[in-house]
Amino acid sequence: MSANAKLCLFPNGLNLYGQLVIGPPGSGKTTYCAAMHDFLVKLGRKVAVINLDPANDNLPYPCAVNMADLIRLDEVMDYLSLGPNGGLIYCMEYLYTHRCWLANQLAVLKQKEPKIYLIFDLPGQVELYTHHPCMRQLVCFLTDKPTNLKKEKQLSLLTSTQTSSSPLLPEDELMPNSLHLHLTSVHLVDSHYCSDAGKFIACVLTSLSAMLQLSIPHVNILSKADLIEQYGELDFNLDFFTEVLDLHYLIDRLHKTKSDNNDNDDVTNSQLLSDCKYTRLNQAIVDLIQDRSLVQFLLLDIQDLSHMERVMRYVDRANGYVFGPSEQHNLQSLLHSASGVELAPDWVGMVQEKYMSRSNTNNNTDINV
């Protein structure tokens, strides 16, 4: 049976569950995919990890589908004389144009294991999730979300670089409009950004943009919780950052930092006007985030099984996955062997006590939230 014919076996889509793991470079996406794969396998869940990052050569997990079999970033950069960013965007546009390849690969997995759970390891280029159309179009194809983008026969970079030596594959008549996957996007950002007010506001804005752009169930995660104070102590308690309570306090911290710097340096009138302009811009960004009130974060240390269990429950709740009694039994046994106790209600407080300095915990009580 040919690969294209396998899609005929699933005329109503694949109806599988899974995660889209996104986030900026270095946030720990590939490490998370490997850890989540191992954790779910121990629970008895059948898991397949799909690598859709054409620049990711070192895979610490068993890769069921690898985008490198379709296109490679280094070859695109050499052949088209593109830089790493342009080459990566070209690869993702190429993947969407040849999405029949991905659909066939997933259909093969579905045929081998009808209840396979999918984890997609995606590249770390932020614009793919904030404003570039190709990832949104791909998500709409994987799920049943309608796209509001105009249909185009060819995407931008493909249009300008396509040659007769590499023709576009024709659309398969058997290709469905959607694979009907039930996916949750898992957005990872480094937790140490909490120690810098400006960077944390930027992270929240990026998370909000990704949520609105992809328009699927979404879970935001502060990764590397064990390194949360790597670059300095936090200004507020940990729940201030996980709940994104009131970012106007961070604006005050930015003003205080600038005023401290201005006391030590000679400041011109133009610099003062520039600071005033950026103050209004920061205020407008914070107001935009607060008006939406959509972003919250989970903390994650992948070495802690209780953290993995918490993230798994949030993701499963978001996409509607319901695991059977055998998984529940395995989960209880796994957590019992790891810690011996169940999670306490004050989970954020436990994380703060474990990973943050005691002086920071005692001193950051100047706000009531």
Side-chain angles (χ1 to χ4, degrees):
M1 182 182 295
S2 65
N4 289 337
K6 292 183 183 298
L7 289 174
C8 295
L9 300 176
F10 312 104
N12 297 323
L14 301 181
N15 290 304
L16 297 174
Y17 292 84
Q19 308 177 23
L20 283 175
V21 183
I22 64 176
S27 58
K29 297 183 297 298
T30 299
T31 305
Y32 168 86
C33 291
M36 183 58 70
H37 170 271
D38 295 341
F39 181 77
L40 295 178
V41 168
K42 291 178 181 178
L43 297 184
R45 194 178 300 187
K46 303 296 183 180
V47 183
V49 184
I50 294 92
N51 175 43
L52 296 185
D53 185 354
N56 194 355
D57 296 327
N58 300 319
L59 302 177
Y61 48 74
C63 186
V65 179
N66 194 348
M67 187 175 172
D69 297 334
L70 175 68
I71 189 171
R72 297 182 60 88
L73 177 61
D74 53 352
E75 295 176 355
V76 169
M77 293 171 59
D78 293 339
Y79 183 73
L80 300 176
S81 299
L82 293 173
N85 291 337
L88 185 56
I89 290 179
Y90 179 93
C91 290
M92 300 310 295
E93 292 181 347
Y94 189 90
L95 173 64
Y96 176 73
T97 305
H98 298 76
R99 57 193 179 276
C100 57
W101 172 85
L102 179 59
N104 290 326
Q105 297 293 324
L106 298 179
V108 172
L109 295 177
K110 169 78 172 181
Q111 188 180 28
K112 293 180 179 178
E113 179 56 53
K115 295 184 179 180
I116 193 74
Y117 187 88
L118 306 176
I119 300 178
F120 292 86
D121 187 5
L122 293 169
Q125 199 160 358
V126 177
E127 55 263 39
L128 291 173
Y129 319 112
T130 56
H131 60 274
H132 196 275
C134 71
M135 185 55 63
R136 177 179 173 85
Q137 290 174 321
L138 181 61
V139 169
C140 291
F141 170 70
L142 294 175
T143 63
D144 57 353
K145 301 297 181 182
T147 176
N148 296 325
L149 302 173
K150 294 182 179 179
K151 292 185 178 180
E152 299 177 352
K153 293 183 179 180
Q154 298 176 356
L155 296 173
S156 57
L157 281 176
L158 289 174
T159 303
S160 61
T161 58
Q162 198 66 42
T163 63
S164 58
S165 61
S166 56
L168 289 173
L169 291 179
E171 286 293 329
D172 194 329
E173 295 181 356
L174 302 176
M175 178 62 58
N177 294 327
S178 170
L179 298 184
H180 293 280
L181 302 181
H182 307 278
L183 300 177
T184 297
S185 60
V186 180
H187 186 221
L188 277 70
V189 295
D190 282 290
S191 60
H192 65 74
Y193 288 144
C194 296
S195 61
D196 187 296
K199 291 180 180 178
F200 182 74
I201 293 175
C203 287
V204 176
L205 183 61
T206 302
S207 300
L208 178 60
S209 299
M211 295 174 69
L212 298 178
Q213 173 77 355
L214 299 182
S215 298
I216 60 175
H218 194 97
V219 176
N220 294 300
I221 294 178
L222 293 173
S223 62
K224 307 174 187 176
D226 53 322
L227 304 176
I228 192 169
E229 290 190 330
Q230 182 181 15
Y231 298 102
E233 295 184 357
L234 306 189
D235 291 325
F236 306 110
N237 288 334
L238 197 51
D239 58 348
F240 175 86
F241 299 96
T242 57
E243 302 296 329
V244 192
L245 294 174
D246 191 347
L247 297 182
H248 293 90
Y249 288 104
L250 294 182
I251 296 294
D252 296 336
R253 294 291 177 174
L254 284 175
H255 294 171
K256 181 179 179 181
T257 302
K258 288 183 178 180
S259 62
D260 292 342
N261 294 334
N262 292 339
D263 292 340
N264 299 327
D265 301 327
D266 295 333
V267 182
T268 63
N269 291 333
S270 60
Q271 288 175 325
L272 291 175
L273 291 175
S274 177
D275 290 344
C276 182
K277 178 178 65 175
Y278 285 119
T279 297
R280 295 197 301 270
L281 175 61
N282 292 332
Q283 187 68 46
I285 292 175
V286 167
D287 290 340
L288 173 65
I289 295 173
Q290 297 291 153
D291 290 343
R292 294 286 182 175
S293 190
L294 293 175
V295 181
Q296 291 184 339
F297 291 96
L298 295 177
L299 284 163
L300 175 63
D301 176 9
I302 61 170
Q303 299 176 355
D304 193 323
L305 292 180
S306 64
H307 289 214
M308 299 297 294
E309 184 265 349
R310 185 177 176 87
V311 171
M312 180 202 68
R313 288 189 182 276
Y314 270 80
V315 172
D316 289 347
R317 187 184 306 167
N319 61 25
Y321 180 87
V322 179
F323 52 80
S326 60
E327 283 192 31
Q328 179 67 32
H329 175 74
N330 293 338
L331 176 62
Q332 293 176 352
S333 301
L334 186 63
L335 292 179
H336 179 76
S337 62
S339 60
V341 295
E342 296 182 355
L343 289 177
D346 187 15
W347 185 77
V348 175
M350 293 177 59
V351 175
Q352 177 168 308
E353 183 178 356
K354 181 177 181 180
Y355 296 117
M356 295 174 60
S357 63
R358 185 172 299 274
S359 60
N360 184 57
T361 304
N362 294 334
N363 293 335
N364 292 334
T365 57
D366 55 339
I367 62 172
N368 294 320
V369 290

